[in-house]
Amino acid sequence: MSGAAGPGANLSALRSHNAALVLRLLRDAGEDGVSRLELADRTGLTPQAVSKITARLRAEGLAAEAGRRASTGGKPRTVLRLVPDARHAIGLHLDRDELTAVLVDLAGTPVAFRTARFDFGAPAERALTAAASEVEALIAATAAEGLLGVGVAAPGPLDHGSGVLHRVTGFPQWDGLPLRDALARRLGLPVVLDKDTNAAALGLAAPATDSFAYLHLGTGLGAGLVLGGGVYRGARTDAGEFGHQVVQLDGPRCGCGNYGCLEALCLAAVARGAQERAAWLLGVGAANLVRLLDIDRVLLGGRVVLAAPESYVRGVAAVLAEDAARTSRPTVPVDVVRGGARAVVGGAAQLVLAPLFALG
């Protein structure tokens, strides 16, 4: 861990925020742990405040001693570490034709997975029952304790704040469904809902200054945007509808109702086996984003990309290099997302964990 986790505050109203900063540093320190003095230095909190916070965390089973470390003067310092299995979270990815669920510990390490067929076109009640059943089966199979909640990643557009789906492309019957609250009632657990691309981007975000686009090409095409280290959702939490930028005015009709959307063109190219064309189209959209947002890098994911990762990286990178040469800008690097097919569901679990560590 390098640098501070962010400024703390010695105000009782912000105790939870300060505890989250401390928890983040404990998590980042791993098994080696971190001393109270180091926590105070990195958070800007007083040693007394850190002692109170760590005492509460230990009482709740979230932190434990990890031995002692020699100091430059005086007695050895007690080192603390996070207890990863003290709490768990569930991530749930609802794709148009498949459901994936994962149980993770506080460190984000997967404990168990489940995958099943899922019909996004089914009546809402049937689809909700199927989703709830898979989560319940995952819980029963692992007997995990300390469940914090369920993070759900679904196709957009949707309202992250209210947990309501909008007109998901190709599935208008979901428009206005309060998915978050409906699933929470069935499971008896807190639920957080976000777009699949935002969830993946949250799980991939690293330094506080990081800015990148995660482009997901699977059953649809979308983007998760991380600007300045945080997921950018927009004023109505509807940012990232990357696939519905119109790139061909006389193009084919898209499921969203427009003509010539990037998603429709990409999926049509994939359907006819024109992989190089699909990669080039994805690169055109990526170049638009780079010009618009001046991001540091582009990450690719989704089942279509992961089926031929080198081809898509090569195709997108070529378009970005050509565009950079025309504008005398440095070429933005392109790579396939780490975590592969599980990037979205892992990010869904992070929707639950992120507030615990003052992230997201």
Side-chain angles (χ1 to χ4, degrees):
M1 174 71 186
S2 60
N10 295 302
L11 301 173
S12 59
L14 296 180
R15 274 182 190 163
S16 60
H17 174 69
N18 290 337
L21 294 178
V22 170
L23 270 175
R24 191 199 311 178
L25 289 170
L26 290 172
R27 183 200 63 180
D28 293 346
E31 289 295 322
D32 292 337
V34 61
S35 72
R36 291 180 180 83
L37 285 179
E38 289 170 320
L39 290 170
D41 180 60
R42 296 178 188 180
T43 60
L45 297 167
T46 65
Q48 293 83 0
V50 167
S51 292
K52 289 181 180 179
I53 290 170
T54 54
R56 289 200 302 272
L57 295 178
R58 291 184 64 188
E60 293 171 8
L62 297 171
E65 287 191 6
R68 294 180 178 274
R69 182 182 300 160
S71 67
T72 55
K75 63 181 182 179
R77 297 174 183 173
T78 300
V79 176
L80 301 172
R81 64 172 179 86
L82 182 72
V83 180
D85 60 0
R87 303 287 189 278
H88 294 86
I90 290 174
L92 179 64
H93 179 199
L94 301 180
D95 207 345
R96 290 168 173 84
D97 60 357
E98 185 178 74
L99 173 156
T100 309
V102 64
L103 179 79
V104 304
D105 63 19
L106 286 178
T109 303
V111 176
F113 281 97
R114 285 185 70 87
T115 301
R117 292 190 61 79
F118 184 73
D119 183 6
F120 219 92
E125 285 299 310
R126 189 192 308 166
L128 283 169
T129 297
S133 296
E134 289 299 322
V135 171
E136 289 165 347
L138 181 67
I139 294 171
T142 57
E145 297 184 359
L147 280 176
L148 297 171
V150 180
V152 180
L158 56 79
D159 189 324
H160 167 69
S162 65
V164 175
L165 289 173
H166 293 321
R167 293 178 65 86
V168 176
T169 304
F171 304 94
Q173 71 271 23
W174 287 86
D175 189 23
L177 180 80
L179 176 60
R180 181 193 66 193
D181 293 347
L183 200 55
R185 283 194 298 271
R186 287 171 180 265
L187 296 173
L189 289 167
V191 173
V192 185
L193 173 68
D194 208 342
K195 285 202 292 192
D196 44 15
T197 49
N198 286 345
L202 176 63
L204 296 167
T209 57
D210 201 17
S211 294
F212 66 87
Y214 166 68
L215 308 184
H216 184 97
L217 179 58
T219 56
L221 174 60
L225 306 174
V226 170
L227 305 179
V231 176
Y232 179 75
R233 296 182 173 92
R236 286 159 293 281
T237 73
D238 202 22
E241 288 300 305
F242 170 78
H244 299 293
Q245 55 180 301
V246 175
V247 295
Q248 183 181 333
L249 294 177
D250 60 349
R253 185 176 177 85
C254 179
C256 73
N258 274 337
Y259 291 85
C261 286
L262 185 62
E263 176 176 295
L265 295 169
C266 268
L267 293 180
V270 171
R272 64 176 185 269
Q275 188 172 280
E276 290 186 3
R277 174 71 175 177
W280 178 80
L281 286 164
L282 189 58
V284 169
N288 289 341
L289 268 186
V290 170
R291 281 176 175 260
L292 183 66
L293 299 176
D294 193 23
I295 51 180
D296 301 320
R297 57 196 174 110
V298 171
L299 297 175
L300 307 179
R303 69 176 70 167
V304 171
V305 168
L306 296 174
E310 293 181 1
S311 295
Y312 280 93
V313 169
R314 184 169 58 248
V316 172
V319 177
L320 291 181
E322 291 172 4
D323 193 65
R326 285 192 292 269
T327 56
S328 299
R329 285 185 290 101
T331 302
V332 172
V334 182
D335 204 353
V336 174
V337 68
R338 66 177 186 271
R342 292 175 174 173
V344 174
V345 73
Q350 291 300 320
L351 292 170
V352 177
L353 294 180
L356 200 65
F357 300 106
L359 297 168

